[in-house]
Structure formats: C-alpha cells, structure tokens
Amino acid sequence: MSDLTQQALAALADAGLGNESAAEAFVVGYQAGYDAALTLAISIETHLNSNEPTDEEIETCARGFFEGTPGITNWDAVSEHSKQAWLHAAKKALAAVNTMKTEEES
C-alpha cells in the first residue's frame, strides 16, 4: 500500500469514518469541510469588518512611523516609553483610517 493510501486511511480512522460506506464517508467529510470553510469565512469577514486594529497591525504601523523619522533606527534599541508612544499614535491612526473606510462604505 502506498504512503498516500496509508495517510488517507489514517485520516479516515482519526475522523471515525472507518465503518461508514464510501457515500457516508464522503458526506461526513464534505460536511466537516464545509463547516470548517464557513467558520473560516466568518472569521475573516469579522476581522475585515472590525474597526479595532490588531496588536500586530498596530506594531507594524508604529514601526513604519518610527523608521520614517530621523534618529535611532533600531526599534529594539528604543526605550519602552518611546515604543508605547509610537504604539499609541499608530493605534489612533489605524482607528481613524478604519472609521473613514467604514463611513465610505456606508
């Protein structure tokens, strides 16, 4: 038996589909895939519609602001107080952009 066949059989066994007919296994697998895809789509849409920027977006924005200014160019060498100020400015800027984007879409 090929390695791929073994992997498929192992996946069926893990999913508890070893005793179903091929048709039943197909329906159960299809339904599980559909549910997972729907959950992912809802999660993505929720994230895209959110006006609140994520911590990662805030830090990326803050680093972009920081790197565009004269002086120290290494983010990791900046004091924690200075980082917090950049992060605060980035959060406010992203929230304003998201608000404008939402208003334009309305």
Side-chain angles (χ1 to χ4, degrees):
M1 214 179 302
S2 74
D3 187 46
L4 188 57
T5 303
Q6 280 300 112
Q7 288 177 359
L9 290 173
L12 285 172
D14 288 346
L17 299 176
N19 297 328
E20 282 83 4
S21 70
E24 289 172 322
F26 176 81
V27 170
V28 170
Y30 180 88
Q31 201 168 22
Y34 179 85
D35 290 346
L38 184 59
T39 300
L40 177 61
I42 290 169
S43 168
I44 290 169
E45 185 175 6
T46 300
H47 177 74
L48 291 175
N49 290 336
S50 171
N51 285 338
E52 190 67 29
T54 65
D55 290 343
E56 184 178 346
E57 291 169 331
I58 293 168
E59 184 169 340
T60 299
C61 184
R63 285 175 180 261
F65 288 161
F66 170 77
E67 290 168 2
T69 59
I72 299 173
T73 57
N74 182 355
W75 175 261
D76 296 323
V78 158
S79 72
E80 191 59 34
H81 181 74
S82 184
K83 279 183 187 177
Q84 291 305 314
W86 284 108
L87 290 168
H88 180 74
K91 184 174 183 176
K92 293 293 185 182
L94 288 171
V97 167
N98 286 340
T99 299
M100 288 187 297
K101 183 175 70 173
T102 302
E103 289 172 357
E104 288 175 0
E105 292 172 353
S106 302

